[in-house]
């Protein structure tokens, strides 16, 4: 006897079919989209120092207040890093990165109208929030979308894009100000890179979000009580203090020595450009290194040596000192990103570790540029700044010694 056809009520009660996942794009396309975003993670910061004296004179800022233009985005990177996991859980990690690049676009573009310090600081803060969200989530996305044996390579590539953007903005900020007739137009022009990042990431968002990023419901607590997480945070805090202080005060140090702002900007570009080399090489070598201390200790020594050179003999070999500091800092930061992947058991754990480590490290490091500005105000020169940064490098090496490969991972 034939079975009766199901009624409309029965059909309506049937469970809905699972959503159809869109296939992910090829890995190289995902990598290109990631690089387009990563290129924006330093330009809003590194485009400022070569123009710092002009901005200070135009807006009547003290050295400490001028240093806050670098401090502010770094502080935002710390305060909003833990928010990244919450936003990623609510909207998906890939969509959260799209929102982040839009914030960078808006914050950078607002500098076209920065005729007063409130507009300049508000736009800088907005860009800092975007940098915080994107920078926190990218290590998680690397672990999610790429195989473990390629994590170091992809990390190195997005370091390449990040430091490439930093080098360009350092080198071209003064020439662009001369070309456009104002520092506001120079700073605002870097919004073009943010627009490219937005256009590159938006199509990827539709295909990858949210079904290909695992849910972390009930597992979103940051690892505040985890000893390994605090060691990683301490390492990143010291590295970031040294890096953002050097970014802020390298060009002004040589302007103080009698260099033109454009020449000092080119020196800052060498500092950022050498980070491209070491920032790519460090993670690639990490794929073959079981104990990362074999890489972390030499790069800490490089950064410290360069700071000592600028402190004791700034005019003896300025291009060499800038390059040595850049080599050390580029590899130190990129290897720090590898730590965020290596000491996490899952992509979600990597996201939580990154949020906690960035909150602690950037909140501490944000004091660096302003504190170094205070040192300049008190001492009347920038030489003592580099002595302090050399000491920070020594402490960084001490922390590295504790980062054994057998440390318990975050799960």
């Amino acid at each position: 006897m034939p079975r009766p056809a199901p009624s409309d009520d029965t059909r309506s009660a049937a469970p809905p079919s699972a959503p159809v996942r869109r296939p992910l794009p090829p890995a190289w396309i995902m990598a290109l989209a990631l690089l387009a975003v990563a290129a924006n993670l330093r330009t809003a910061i590194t485009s400022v120092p070569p123009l710092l004296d002009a901005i200070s004179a135009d807006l009547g800022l003290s050295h400490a207040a001028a240093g806050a233009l670098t401090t502010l985005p770094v502080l935002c990177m710390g305060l909003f890093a833990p928010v990244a996991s919450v936003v990623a859980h609510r909207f998906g990690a890939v969509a959260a990165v799209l929102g982040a690049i839009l914030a960078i676009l808006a914050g950078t573009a607002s500098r076209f109208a920065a005729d007063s310090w409130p507009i300049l600081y508000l736009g800088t803060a907005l860009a800092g929030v975007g940098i915080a969200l994107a920078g926190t989530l990218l290590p998680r996305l690397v672990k999610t979308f790429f195989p473990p044996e390629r994590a170091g390579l992809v990390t190195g590539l997005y370091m390449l894009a990040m430091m490439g953007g930093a080098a360009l903005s350092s080198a071209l900020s003064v020439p662009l100000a001369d070309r456009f007739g104002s520092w506001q137009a120079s700073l605002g022009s870097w919004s073009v890179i943010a627009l490219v990042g937005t256009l590159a990431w938006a199509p990827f968002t539709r295909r990858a979000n949210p079904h290909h990023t695992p849910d972390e419901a009930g597992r979103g607590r940051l690892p505040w009580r985890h000893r390994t997480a605090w060691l990683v945070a301490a390492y990143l805090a010291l590295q970031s203090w040294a890096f953002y202080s050097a970014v802020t005060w390298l060009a002004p140090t040589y302007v103080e020595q009698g260099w033109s702002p454009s020449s000092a900007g080119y020196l800052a570009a060498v500092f950022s450009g050498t980070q491209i080399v070491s920032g790519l090489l460090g993670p690639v070598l990490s794929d073959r290194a079981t104990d990362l201390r074999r890489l972390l200790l030499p790069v800490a020594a490089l950064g410290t040596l360069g700071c000592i050179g600028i402190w004791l003999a700034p005019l003896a070999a300025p291009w060499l000192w800038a390059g040595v500091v850049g080599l050390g800092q580029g590899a130190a930061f990129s290897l720090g990103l590898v730590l965020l992947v290596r000491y996490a058991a899952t992509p979600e754990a990597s996201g939580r570790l990154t949020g906690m480590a960035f909150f602690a490290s950037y909140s501490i490091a944000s004091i660096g540029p302003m504190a170094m500005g205070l040192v300049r105000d008190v001492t009347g020169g920038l030489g003592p700044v580099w002595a302090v940064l050399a000491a920070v490098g020594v402490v960084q090496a001490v922390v590295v010694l504790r980062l054994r490969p057998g440390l318990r991972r975050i799960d």
Side-chain angles (χ1 to χ4, degrees):
M1 185 176 190
R3 300 176 65 180
S7 66
D8 290 341
D9 291 341
T10 304
R11 285 195 298 266
S12 63
S17 59
V20 178
R21 295 185 179 184
R22 296 173 180 265
L24 286 173
W28 67 271
I29 292 181
M30 292 192 292
L32 286 177
L34 189 144
L35 298 185
V37 172
N40 292 276
L41 298 186
R42 291 295 179 270
T43 54
I45 301 171
T46 53
S47 59
V48 172
L51 298 169
L52 212 51
D53 287 340
I55 295 170
S56 299
D58 198 13
L59 301 182
L61 303 177
S62 67
H63 294 312
L69 286 172
T70 304
T71 293
L72 185 57
V74 179
L75 179 61
C76 290
M77 289 161 66
L79 295 179
F80 286 90
V83 178
S85 291
V86 178
V87 175
H89 173 58
R90 176 66 179 85
F91 299 102
V94 182
V97 171
L98 178 61
I101 190 66
L102 287 171
I104 297 172
L105 173 60
T108 309
S110 71
R111 290 173 164 180
F112 280 113
D115 294 325
S116 62
W117 66 264
I119 296 176
L120 178 60
Y121 279 83
L122 284 173
T124 300
L126 181 58
V129 172
I131 292 170
L133 295 178
T136 302
L137 293 173
L138 287 187
R140 167 183 169 170
L141 293 178
V142 169
K143 196 171 182 71
T144 299
F145 292 119
F146 299 93
E149 64 273 13
R150 292 289 179 265
L153 175 60
V154 177
T155 299
L157 287 174
Y158 88 69
M159 274 294 300
L160 179 74
M162 186 190 308
M163 294 309 173
L168 280 175
S169 62
S170 295
L172 298 180
S173 283
V174 173
L176 287 174
D178 294 338
R179 176 68 180 271
F180 297 139
S182 72
W183 57 263
Q184 291 94 336
S186 175
L187 295 181
S189 65
W190 297 104
S191 60
V192 173
I193 297 181
L195 179 60
V196 172
T198 302
L199 295 176
W201 193 259
F204 178 45
T205 304
R206 293 190 60 192
R207 298 185 67 175
N209 192 77
H211 303 302
H212 293 282
T213 51
D215 190 8
E216 55 180 27
R219 294 169 46 182
R221 292 185 179 181
L222 301 181
W224 295 113
R225 298 183 180 181
H226 205 294
R227 180 173 176 271
T228 303
W230 278 108
L231 280 173
V232 174
Y235 169 81
L236 287 171
L238 293 163
Q239 187 278 325
S240 298
W241 180 295
F243 171 75
Y244 288 106
S245 297
V247 163
T248 304
W249 296 114
L250 178 62
T253 293
Y254 282 90
V255 171
E256 185 177 87
Q257 294 288 334
W259 290 37
S260 68
S262 58
S263 296
Y266 293 136
L267 187 67
V270 169
F271 167 70
S272 296
T274 51
Q275 293 174 56
I276 296 175
V277 178
S278 61
L280 175 62
L281 186 61
V284 171
L285 292 176
S286 75
D287 286 336
R288 303 178 182 179
T290 303
D291 189 346
L292 285 181
R293 292 177 296 181
R294 295 178 179 178
L295 299 174
L296 291 168
L297 283 173
V299 300
L302 273 177
T304 302
L305 178 63
C307 289
I308 291 173
I310 297 174
W311 169 34
L312 297 179
L315 297 180
W319 302 98
L320 175 63
W321 302 142
V324 169
V325 176
L327 287 171
Q329 289 293 341
F333 178 67
S334 63
L335 290 170
L337 298 180
V338 174
L339 293 176
L340 297 173
V341 175
R342 183 165 293 191
Y343 283 122
T346 66
E348 297 77 29
S350 178
R352 293 194 302 276
L353 172 59
T354 304
M356 178 265 178
F358 279 8
F359 174 79
S361 63
Y362 285 141
S363 296
I364 295 170
S366 66
I367 303 170
M370 185 181 293
M372 298 301 97
L374 287 173
V375 169
R376 181 185 186 183
D377 287 335
V378 171
T379 64
L382 282 164
V385 166
W386 298 96
V388 173
L389 296 183
V392 170
V394 173
V395 180
Q396 178 183 327
V398 172
V399 173
V400 165
L401 292 174
R402 309 294 298 274
L403 291 169
R404 304 187 312 274
L407 292 175
R408 184 167 66 93
R409 295 198 299 172
I410 289 82
D411 51 25

